[in-house]
Amino acid sequence: MSAAKSKDGKDAKVGKGAKDAGKENKGQPKEARAPKEARQPAAPKESRENRQREAREATEAKEPKERRPERPAPVPRLQIHYREVVVKQLMEQFQYKTAMQVPRIEKIVLNMGVGEAVADKKIMDHAVSDMAKIAGQKPLVTNARKSIANYKVRAGYPVGCKVTLRGARMYEFLDRLVSVAMPRIRDFRGMSGRAFDGRGNYNMGVKEQIIFPEIEYDKIDAVRGMNITITTTAKSDNEAKALLGAFRFPFRN
């Protein structure tokens, strides 16, 4: 019992000393804590568009810029011929009141069917290359709309290509067609004058693409034909025929 009391008493003295130390520290001021470093505001993040623009400007600065032609392209001669000769000629023939009533060529469409491309896709590449050389414009590949089991064609398969020409390219193509390509057709005796659709549009077929001087016979893989549609603003076939005849279109008889 005496040992326990002495132990308790010792513990009590220890506890009393700790309390006295706490009272002494309580009167003294606490050590000041170091102030926290002020956080710097984060830099605003650049938007994705700004970064893309800077990257684009950097690439353009490295790459040499394409040199533009000093002079504009000359106006096609058939376009000048239409303004100076054809308009006056048709106004006298059909008694138009104003020059705006005179029919004009609106567009020329080239269409080539390539059914063999279903078995081999390289054939389509050759056909597109030939048409691009002829028209001077990249053609559009047309796909099948329906699936036909007999021809082994599914919907979405590439089966042809086409090009729509307007403006200066249209007149240049018509000039090459009438002046160079048609005289090179085998056994050519003139174009039929009855190939109009009743609305002033003319359709003609070409059996060989080698009649155009842009195609080299030694570099083609096969001989292909195409359909050429000349769309005009004429209201009747007689007006459309007179318009094409004014461009020296070689009609039969």
Side-chain angles (χ1 to χ4, degrees), residues 2-245:
S2 60
K5 285 180 181 180
S6 61
K7 188 175 183 180
D8 294 338
K10 187 178 180 180
D11 291 343
K13 288 181 182 179
V14 172
K16 187 177 180 180
K19 289 181 181 181
D20 295 340
K23 288 179 181 181
E24 292 176 0
N25 294 336
K26 187 175 182 180
Q28 297 177 1
K30 296 182 179 179
E31 295 180 358
R33 296 183 180 179
K36 295 183 178 179
E37 295 180 358
R39 296 183 180 180
Q40 297 179 357
K45 295 183 179 179
E46 297 180 355
S47 61
R48 184 178 299 177
E49 296 179 358
N50 295 338
R51 291 197 299 269
Q52 291 178 353
R53 185 175 67 255
E54 292 177 358
R56 196 183 307 113
E57 292 176 356
T59 53
E60 291 178 357
K62 293 180 181 179
E63 297 178 357
K65 295 183 179 180
E66 296 182 0
R67 186 177 180 182
R68 295 184 179 180
E70 298 179 357
R71 298 180 180 179
V75 181
R77 64 174 185 172
L78 284 188
Q79 190 172 359
I80 300 174
H81 177 72
Y82 172 78
R83 295 174 181 175
E84 298 179 355
V85 179
V86 177
V87 173
K88 298 178 181 179
Q89 181 179 343
L90 294 181
M91 287 185 70
E92 294 177 358
Q93 182 177 354
F94 294 97
Q95 300 299 321
Y96 294 124
K97 295 182 180 180
T98 62
M100 299 300 294
Q101 292 179 325
V102 179
R104 64 183 184 278
I105 300 177
E106 186 177 1
K107 62 182 178 179
I108 297 178
V109 181
L110 311 181
N111 186 16
M112 180 185 294
V114 189
E116 305 87 3
V118 177
D120 189 1
K121 294 183 179 180
K122 293 183 180 179
I123 299 177
M124 179 60 68
D125 296 337
H126 293 301
V128 170
S129 177
D130 291 346
M131 183 167 284
K133 293 177 182 178
I134 294 171
Q137 182 176 318
K138 185 178 179 179
L140 175 67
V141 178
T142 56
N143 301 325
R145 297 181 181 178
K146 297 181 180 179
S147 299
I148 304 175
N150 294 338
Y151 295 101
K152 298 180 180 179
V153 176
R154 293 184 179 181
Y157 275 21
V159 292
C161 55
K162 67 176 182 179
V163 169
T164 302
L165 302 176
R166 302 176 189 269
R169 290 181 181 178
M170 175 188 68
Y171 284 106
E172 291 175 357
F173 174 79
L174 183 62
D175 191 2
R176 289 185 283 110
L177 178 66
V178 174
S179 304
V180 181
M182 285 186 178
R184 299 178 65 179
I185 297 177
R186 190 177 303 176
D187 299 333
F188 182 69
R189 298 180 182 178
M191 305 302 298
S192 175
R194 297 182 295 177
F196 292 93
D197 62 349
R199 300 180 181 179
N201 304 322
Y202 187 78
N203 293 280
M204 59 173 291
V206 176
K207 295 182 179 179
E208 299 174 346
Q209 82 274 29
I210 57 177
I211 63 175
F212 294 95
E214 295 83 5
I215 303 299
E216 298 182 14
Y217 182 78
D218 297 335
K219 295 183 179 180
I220 62 173
D221 60 331
V223 177
R224 299 185 186 87
M226 69 180 68
N227 182 53
I228 302 174
T229 302
I230 302 175
T231 304
T232 67
T233 59
K235 298 180 181 180
S236 63
D237 292 345
N238 293 332
E239 295 177 359
K241 189 174 182 179
L243 174 63
L244 295 180

